Amino acid sequence: MFLTMKRPRACDGKVDFIPSEKSPPSDVEVENFFTSKYAPLISTVKMPLKELSSEERLLQKAEMYQLYMKEIPVPSERCSAIPCYSWTELGKSLKILYRQPLHYLTNIQLKQWDQAKMGTEDEDQPLDGIIHPIIAEATIWLNEEVHRRSTSHQYLARLWQDDPLHQAYIDSVVPEIYSEDP
């Protein structure tokens, strides 16, 4: 299905699309597109991406990522106390248990907390021996909520631009809507 936008703009519930000559979509295809889970995110992407610079693409990617992460509710109920050795291990367990990604900044924060523990007298002690597992989990979710709700996509794009390995800390959350190829 090929659709092109009249003009790029944020989704306000009504989006004007003009079908291309190549493949006019059926009414069912259009309805399925608009009712899909990712339609609000797709409609905010400015087309065509091939004309954008790498910085503009990164900014757009960061915007999509932040919009998507903002839509995921932080769990309000806790399953149980999760024993863990490190912050990053606890983060991985939470991703599996709650079936949710953690924000890029939360993943970075967990790594930094593990690094900060190095050289202390408690370096070899498991995290759950230093901090109660319920408090550790609540701390992660509190940070996650801050990162999801209040991080600007411009800030994320700047961080990603300075870190060539930023993808290692981004959990797969946003479907690949566009190709990276120019």
Side-chain angles (χ1 to χ4, degrees):
M1 168 173 43
F2 295 94
L3 299 174
T4 57
M5 293 180 69
K6 283 185 179 177
R7 61 187 183 283
R9 63 187 171 119
C11 182
D12 59 358
K14 295 180 181 177
V15 181
D16 297 324
F17 286 97
I18 302 172
S20 71
E21 303 79 28
K22 292 183 182 177
S23 173
S26 70
D27 290 341
V28 173
E29 287 175 314
V30 171
E31 183 178 322
N32 289 342
F33 177 82
F34 285 112
T35 58
S36 75
K37 182 176 181 179
Y38 304 108
L41 293 177
I42 294 169
S43 65
T44 63
V45 179
K46 297 165 186 72
M47 301 288 180
L49 293 176
K50 292 179 179 165
E51 296 174 11
L52 298 177
S53 68
S54 61
E55 291 83 17
E56 290 169 321
R57 281 187 187 186
L58 192 61
L59 184 64
Q60 218 170 39
K61 222 174 167 179
E63 182 179 15
M64 285 175 37
Y65 176 82
Q66 191 60 30
L67 284 170
Y68 184 84
M69 291 302 289
K70 210 178 253 191
E71 294 299 314
I72 304 171
V74 171
S76 57
E77 294 182 21
R78 306 296 179 250
C79 292
S80 63
I82 304 168
C84 57
Y85 186 80
S86 68
W87 286 104
T88 51
E89 182 184 294
L90 178 57
K92 287 176 187 175
S93 296
L94 293 178
K95 292 175 201 180
I96 294 167
L97 186 63
Y98 293 98
R99 295 185 179 121
Q100 305 201 353
L102 290 179
H103 195 279
Y104 166 80
L105 292 174
T106 303
N107 286 322
I108 294 293
Q109 184 73 59
L110 298 178
K111 176 186 155 202
Q112 290 171 343
W113 287 344
D114 283 339
Q115 289 173 341
K117 186 180 163 190
M118 291 181 193
T120 67
E121 60 188 41
D122 296 329
E123 179 179 3
D124 294 328
Q125 190 173 359
L127 179 62
D128 57 10
I130 302 168
I131 299 172
H132 192 281
I134 292 175
I135 294 172
E137 180 182 345
T139 301
I140 290 175
W141 288 124
L142 177 63
N143 276 277
E144 182 67 12
E145 187 161 18
V146 170
H147 294 145
R148 287 181 185 180
R149 291 182 173 215
S150 65
T151 301
S152 98
H153 67 279
Q154 293 96 343
Y155 177 71
L156 274 178
R158 282 195 307 272
L159 289 176
W160 293 352
Q161 191 170 20
D162 293 341
D163 180 10
L165 302 176
H166 69 274
Q167 288 288 10
Y169 299 100
I170 298 175
D171 297 327
S172 295
V173 294
V174 180
E176 200 57 40
I177 295 171
Y178 58 89
S179 172
E180 293 272 345
D181 301 330

